[in-house]
Amino acid sequence: MSLSKGDAIELKVTPDKYVTVRYAGASGDFNPIHIDEEFAQSVGLPGKILHGLWTMAQVARAHTDAGGGPESLKSLSVQFRGMGRMEEEITVTGTVRESDGATAVVDSEAEQGGQRIIRRGVARLSG
């Protein structure tokens, strides 16, 4: 594995305005806070929000990119801490906490607009 203690990972992604509709179809999660702007606003949200699991998938993607492919991600846990919005860049960052050459543990988070939307991410990668 090419990741060493202290190495940084980063992924920047900007969800387009249709991502929640596509993700609802793929995931089966048709909660209207994700796909209906008027409904989301009627329940006090600023508008449609991203699915938390879509956001977590971007964290997973950052790790698999760094680890050399999807087979490298052995586990991932995160805490959801904010609502993601469409058409605003999300930045996933992480730092390798430990590595023995075969396995790496990476601490990570995701932020959007200066707000952490995922924190305390921990991934185990091997390769």
Side-chain angles (χ1 to χ4, degrees), residues 3 6 21 24 30 34 36 57 68 71 76 82 99 102 105 114 116-117 122-123:
L3 293 173
V21 175
F30 290 93
H34 302 302
D36 185 327
E71 66 282 354
L76 175 65
S99 177
V105 177
R116 280 190 300 174
I117 57 176
V122 177

Side-chain angles (χ1 to χ4, degrees), residues 95-113:
T95 304
V96 177
R97 179 187 344 148
E98 58 187 72
S99 177
D100 65 9
T103 303
V105 177
V106 183
D107 296 319
S108 57
E109 64 181 30
E111 70 88 18
Q112 184 181 52

Side-chain angles (χ1 to χ4, degrees), residues 26-39:
S27 69
D29 181 355
F30 290 93
N31 186 323
I33 64 173
H34 302 302
I35 57 177
D36 185 327
E37 188 76 25
E38 289 179 16
F39 178 83

Side-chain angles (χ1 to χ4, degrees), residues 21-111:
V21 175
R22 290 191 310 274
Y23 193 79
S27 69
D29 181 355
F30 290 93
N31 186 323
I33 64 173
H34 302 302
I35 57 177
D36 185 327
E37 188 76 25
E38 289 179 16
F39 178 83
Q41 290 174 347
S42 78
V43 296
L45 297 172
K48 297 184 302 183
I49 62 171
L50 293 168
H51 295 81
L53 291 179
W54 182 89
T55 308
M56 182 178 172
Q58 304 317 302
V59 176
R61 182 176 151 203
H63 290 92
T64 61
D65 287 355
E71 66 282 354
S72 66
L73 183 61
K74 301 307 178 192
S75 66
L76 175 65
S77 65
V78 301
Q79 288 184 355
F80 299 101
R81 287 295 177 228
M83 296 177 287
R85 297 167 307 282
M86 278 63 69
E87 300 183 283
E88 188 174 330
E89 185 175 72
I90 295 171
T91 302
V92 179
T93 56
T95 304
V96 177
R97 179 187 344 148
E98 58 187 72
S99 177
D100 65 9
T103 303
V105 177
V106 183
D107 296 319
S108 57
E109 64 181 30
E111 70 88 18

